[in-house]
Amino acid sequence: MLYKTGELAKLTGVSPRTVRFYDIKGILLPVEYSQSGYRMYDNSSVEKLQRILMLKYLGFSLEQIEEVMNQEHWNLMDSINEQKHMLRQKIKHMQRVLETIEQIDEKDENIWKSILEVISLTEEKELLDRQYVNDVNLQKRINIHDYSTSEENWMNWIYHRLDIKSGMRILEIGCGTGLLWLANLSGLPDNIELTLTDNSRGMLDKVKDMLELHRKMLEAKHIKCEVCLLDAENAIIETNAYDRIIANHMLYHVKKKEQLFFAVRKGLREGGMFCCSTVGNGHMKELNEFVREFSDEIELYFADATENFLLENGREQLERYFQNVSLDIFESDLLVDNADVIYDYVCSYPGNAPQILKKKEQAFKKKVNQVIERDGAFYIQKSTGMFRAF
């Protein structure tokens, strides 16, 4: 059944002007036009508009909505489940904000500082939600590491230090697209159980696709895989259940690390190990300085956010919960001779980087190419490593 603009608007409780606006923005295109030139929509358009309205209600910007709507595969039930999950996350976030507000004493001399902390908490959560709605930004950040000076791939380096053996149960917190396992599938021992978790349905959809692609291999090796949502801020981990718990490059996003570390320690079996990677103070230093020089308006979220859990301060935090903590350093830097790769990487930053750089793309790439022509490649220092705690 086909609907004109006004009919679609009436079905979904919006104005015809709203429907036309979403058409102009390219996120709700007509399925066809009538002989008289009227926009025509079908039942799938009704579902899409409902999804747009829900995302708008949840506080997503038009740019975010466009990104979600352009995902290749989605259906109504997936959308409803995703919306339920986002609502729960929003409720949890608002509860955290409320808890912070309730701690503010009107007689406190630092009341304005406390209010600013609430604002900061809210803005940071919104940035991360936009970053991880799907794997696009993550993939842009991964691509730059193809230019590593190390002969060993980062994911292989991590895996070799996990010391996984047959019969083990493994939990990964913040698995992203499952790249750690994709890079090491052939080397996995038989008879293990993987529980891969993330706080983004977009990421987990990629993991499921990857596992399905390699299902026969996993079955032949008797490897069981479970994929599920998990909010690291409020993680509940089964007691004495896992031989390895992994958290790669994500602990600096976690505000309640003490609560998570306690849950991890309880979740480890005797002889189990917590493996968590992070970055150091000098990570991506040259690129950050280059971006600041190009435009001091660009927000460098990761340069500041990672301070919560660094190679320099992670051991101290872990030693409060684990008796033995060791640190391995991954010796690698970047030599990038492709301006597009650097441009994409910086565009993946949370905040205003995409908006600023899209207007100055040619100028940015020109400046990058000047560095490449002068030095042969754009040198970027990396500082990465992994803690092992037990």
Side-chain angles (χ1 to χ4, degrees), residues 77 80 225 257 279 291 310 314 388:
M77 286 311 301
I80 291 173
C225 298
K257 283 190 290 297
V279 300
V291 172
L310 291 165
R388 291 187 285 186

Side-chain angles (χ1 to χ4, degrees), residues 127-141:
L127 279 174
L128 291 178
D129 285 345
R130 288 197 293 270
Q131 276 291 292
Y132 298 115
V133 67
N134 58 38
D135 70 317
V136 173
N137 286 316
L138 177 62
Q139 191 57 53
K140 287 179 180 178
R141 287 195 291 277

Side-chain angles (χ1 to χ4, degrees), residues 21 106 274:
F21 175 74
E106 62 180 6
F274 180 40

Side-chain angles (χ1 to χ4, degrees), residues 16 23 52 55 57 62 78 87 96 115 131 143 171 173 181 197 201 207 242 278 292 298 306 313 335 350 354 366 389:
D23 175 18
I52 292 168
L55 291 170
Y57 174 76
L62 280 175
D78 284 344
L87 279 170
R96 291 200 296 271
I115 292 172
Q131 276 291 292
N143 289 341
L171 167 68
I173 303 170
W181 309 103
T197 71
R201 285 189 175 275
V207 175
Y242 298 100
T278 188
R292 286 192 182 98
I298 296 177
T306 55
N313 62 27
L335 290 174
K366 180 180 180 180

Side-chain angles (χ1 to χ4, degrees), residues 27-290:
I27 56 178
L28 183 66
L29 300 176
V31 295
E32 62 179 71
Y33 289 87
S34 69
Q35 291 183 348
S36 303
Y38 290 110
R39 297 175 175 87
M40 303 300 294
Y41 301 89
D42 60 12
N43 288 330
S44 69
S45 305
V46 177
E47 294 175 5
K48 286 181 181 178
L49 182 52
Q50 288 172 337
R51 191 180 195 203
I52 292 168
L53 295 173
M54 178 59 78
L55 291 170
K56 184 174 182 293
Y57 174 76
L58 290 171
F60 277 56
S61 67
L62 280 175
E63 184 179 277
Q64 291 173 265
I65 293 173
E66 181 180 4
E67 190 173 9
V68 174
M69 297 303 297
N70 286 335
Q71 293 179 24
E72 290 185 9
H73 304 291
W74 67 277
N75 57 48
L76 181 59
M77 286 311 301
D78 284 344
S79 297
I80 291 173
N81 289 330
E82 181 178 307
Q83 290 158 4
K84 283 163 58 180
H85 170 65
M86 288 189 290
L87 279 170
R88 291 191 184 105
Q89 293 301 102
K90 190 165 187 176
I91 290 170
K92 287 179 182 177
H93 173 58
M94 294 310 297
Q95 286 173 337
R96 291 200 296 271
V97 173
L98 180 60
E99 288 171 5
T100 307
I101 292 173
E102 287 177 338
Q103 292 174 8
I104 298 175
D105 186 343
E106 62 180 6
K107 297 178 182 179
D108 186 356
E109 294 179 359
N110 295 319
I111 187 170
W112 291 111
K113 180 181 178 182
S114 299
I115 292 172
L116 285 173
E117 287 176 355
V118 174
I119 295 171
S120 177
L121 177 67
T122 304
E123 290 179 342
E124 184 172 329
K125 181 65 171 60
E126 290 173 351
L127 279 174
L128 291 178
D129 285 345
R130 288 197 293 270
Q131 276 291 292
Y132 298 115
V133 67
N134 58 38
D135 70 317
V136 173
N137 286 316
L138 177 62
Q139 191 57 53
K140 287 179 180 178
R141 287 195 291 277
I142 289 172
N143 289 341
I144 200 171
H145 296 287
D146 289 341
Y147 295 82
S148 170
T149 58
S150 173
E151 294 183 0
E152 187 173 20
N153 176 275
W154 164 251
M155 292 300 175
N156 298 140
W157 185 89
I158 287 284
Y159 177 76
H160 292 153
R161 282 154 181 78
L162 298 177
D163 193 24
I164 296 174
K165 294 180 172 61
S166 179
M168 284 188 172
R169 289 189 69 194
I170 299 106
L171 167 68
E172 184 173 13
I173 303 170
C175 67
T177 59
L179 191 56
L180 172 62
W181 309 103
L182 178 61
N184 294 285
L185 276 177
S186 60
L188 291 177
D190 295 351
N191 300 304
I192 62 172
E193 294 183 29
L194 296 176
T195 301
L196 307 183
T197 71
D198 203 278
N199 199 30
S200 164
R201 285 189 175 275
M203 299 292 187
L204 294 180
D205 286 341
K206 292 289 184 178
V207 175
K208 291 175 183 177
D209 290 343
M210 180 271 291
L211 293 175
E212 179 60 28
L213 188 63
H214 298 279
R215 180 169 52 85
K216 290 185 178 180
M217 177 194 292
L218 295 169
E219 289 176 350
K221 302 184 81 166
H222 304 287
I223 296 174
K224 296 179 181 179
C225 298
E226 181 183 6
V227 178
C228 55
L229 282 165
L230 180 70
D231 179 7
E233 291 282 357
N234 301 283
I236 298 175
I237 301 174
E238 184 182 351
T239 302
N240 299 324
Y242 298 100
D243 300 283
R244 299 288 182 270
I245 298 181
I246 305 162
N248 281 327
H249 278 47
M250 55 77 63
L251 286 174
Y252 37 70
H253 293 315
V254 180
K255 294 298 183 184
K256 301 178 182 178
K257 283 190 290 297
E258 295 80 5
Q259 182 175 316
L260 177 60
F261 291 158
F262 181 74
V264 167
R265 190 183 67 186
K266 286 184 62 178
L268 286 173
R269 293 172 173 172
E270 185 176 352
M273 183 166 61
F274 180 40
C275 306
C276 48
S277 65
T278 188
V279 300
N281 273 320
H283 189 62
M284 309 300 278
K285 174 184 174 184
E286 291 76 14
L287 182 56
N288 289 336
E289 290 176 350
F290 178 88

Side-chain angles (χ1 to χ4, degrees), residues 316-343:
E316 180 184 354
Q317 297 179 52
L318 290 166
E319 284 179 341
R320 297 171 192 162
Y321 297 87
F322 301 92
Q323 290 185 342
N324 298 288
V325 180
S326 63
L327 171 62
D328 293 338
I329 299 297
F330 181 56
E331 300 293 344
S332 172
D333 294 313
L334 300 175
L335 290 174
V336 187
D337 59 3
N338 188 324
D340 291 339
V341 171
I342 293 177
Y343 172 80

Side-chain angles (χ1 to χ4, degrees), residues 5 9 14-23 28 49 53 56:
T5 299
V14 299
S15 68
R17 182 179 178 182
T18 298
V19 177
R20 288 193 292 270
F21 175 74
Y22 290 139
D23 175 18
L28 183 66
L49 182 52
L53 295 173
K56 184 174 182 293

